[in-house]
């Protein structure tokens, strides 16, 4: 099984954010990719720490093959000097938040996939939803590129992309289930 979901220590780190106030988000300008899409990473600033949500390429061992790469989430604490753009010659922007995290939901897709007579199981993290004082903010990853969509509003589970959409082609058979993991 290929597991591209968060590790237990990353989940614990996120869970420990519940009850803390996000002062601001920092990310590359949204207009680089039009709409609400940013490249690769988002930093969350709190009074006592900075959290990096990184979305980067990692070898994708589907069917035992390590040739392809696939983006995956990682979560870690960083220092201020590490909160820099993923793009060259780009000034990041700060988005003031000043909202308390009331809950966090991880959105995971579990997929049984068959291609060219080979079968495998894949667990992929689709998004992280932060429930704030008066709204939700979701950071959703693209399945094929290290791009993140930042969604804001209510009931964001309904606005997320379709399950395992990277497998949609004529030669691939797949079954998928979406799980909402409350931290």
């Amino acid at each position: 099984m290929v597991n591209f979901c968060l590790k237990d220590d990353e989940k614990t780190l996120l869970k420990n954010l519940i009850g803390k106030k996000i002062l601001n988000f920092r990310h590359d300008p949204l207009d680089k990719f039009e709409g609400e899409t940013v490249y690769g990473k988002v930093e969350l600033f709190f009074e006592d720490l900075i959290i990096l949500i990184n979305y980067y390429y990692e070898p994708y061992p589907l069917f035992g093959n390590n040739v392809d790469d696939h983006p995956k989430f990682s979560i870690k604490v960083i220092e201020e000097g590490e909160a820099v753009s993923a793009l060259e010659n780009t000034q990041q922007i700060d988005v003031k938040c000043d909202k308390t995290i009331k809950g966090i939901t991880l959105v995971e897709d579990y997929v049984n996939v068959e291609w060219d007579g080979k079968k495998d199981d894949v667990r992929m993290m689709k998004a992280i939803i932060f429930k704030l004082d008066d709204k939700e903010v979701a950071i959703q990853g693209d399945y094929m590129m290290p791009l993140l969509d930042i969604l804001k509003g209510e009931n964001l589970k309904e606005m997320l992309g379709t399950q395992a959409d990277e497998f949609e082609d004529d030669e691939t058979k797949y079954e998928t289930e979406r799980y909402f993991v409350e931290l």
Side-chain angles (χ1 to χ4, degrees):
M1 174 191 303
V2 178
N3 187 347
F4 274 176
C5 294
L6 292 180
K7 297 175 192 165
D8 287 342
D9 60 331
E10 293 171 310
K11 290 178 184 179
T12 299
L13 180 58
L14 284 176
K15 187 173 185 171
N16 289 334
L17 298 176
I18 297 171
K20 289 185 174 274
K21 182 184 280 191
I22 299 176
L23 302 177
N24 65 292
F25 292 84
R26 183 180 291 166
H27 54 74
D28 291 330
L30 299 174
D31 63 351
K32 286 286 183 183
F33 295 98
E34 300 183 21
E36 297 293 312
T37 300
V38 300
Y39 186 80
K41 60 186 186 170
V42 174
E43 294 100 7
L44 308 177
F45 288 79
F46 299 86
E47 288 180 358
D48 58 344
L49 74 151
I50 303 169
I51 298 294
L52 171 65
I53 299 174
N54 196 10
Y55 198 59
Y56 64 97
Y57 282 121
E58 185 165 290
Y60 186 49
L62 192 63
F63 310 122
N65 176 2
N66 283 316
V67 175
D68 292 331
D69 287 332
H70 186 284
K72 112 173 233 189
F73 282 95
S74 72
I75 311 294
K76 69 179 183 177
V77 176
I78 62 170
E79 298 295 323
E80 172 72 31
E82 297 173 275
V84 296
S85 176
L87 302 170
E88 290 185 26
N89 302 318
T90 300
Q91 178 72 34
Q92 287 187 301
I93 59 172
D94 287 305
V95 178
K96 186 176 171 105
C97 184
D98 282 329
K99 305 284 182 190
T100 300
I101 298 175
K102 302 294 186 183
I104 299 174
T105 303
L106 305 179
V107 182
E108 299 177 350
D109 288 348
Y110 292 16
V111 185
N112 295 315
V113 62
E114 181 178 344
W115 176 80
D116 197 27
K118 299 177 230 163
K119 295 181 182 182
D120 211 334
D121 298 322
V122 184
R123 291 177 60 187
M124 304 172 139
M125 193 158 114
K126 180 71 174 175
I128 304 168
I129 301 173
F130 294 92
K131 297 171 190 157
L132 305 177
D133 295 325
D134 59 348
K135 65 180 173 182
E136 294 178 339
V137 173
I139 299 174
Q140 174 180 259
D142 181 283
Y143 275 125
M144 298 304 286
M145 300 287 293
L147 301 176
L148 295 168
D149 292 323
I150 300 174
L151 309 171
K152 299 171 191 154
E154 297 176 14
N155 265 342
L156 294 182
K157 290 178 184 177
E158 307 296 323
M159 295 175 60
L160 298 176
T162 59
Q163 299 174 7
D165 53 3
E166 78 163 348
F167 298 110
E168 290 181 1
D169 68 42
D170 294 337
E171 298 176 20
T172 305
K173 298 177 192 173
Y174 67 94
E175 296 175 354
T176 185
E177 291 184 57
R178 178 159 283 172
Y179 293 92
F180 297 98
V181 180
E182 302 291 332
L183 297 182

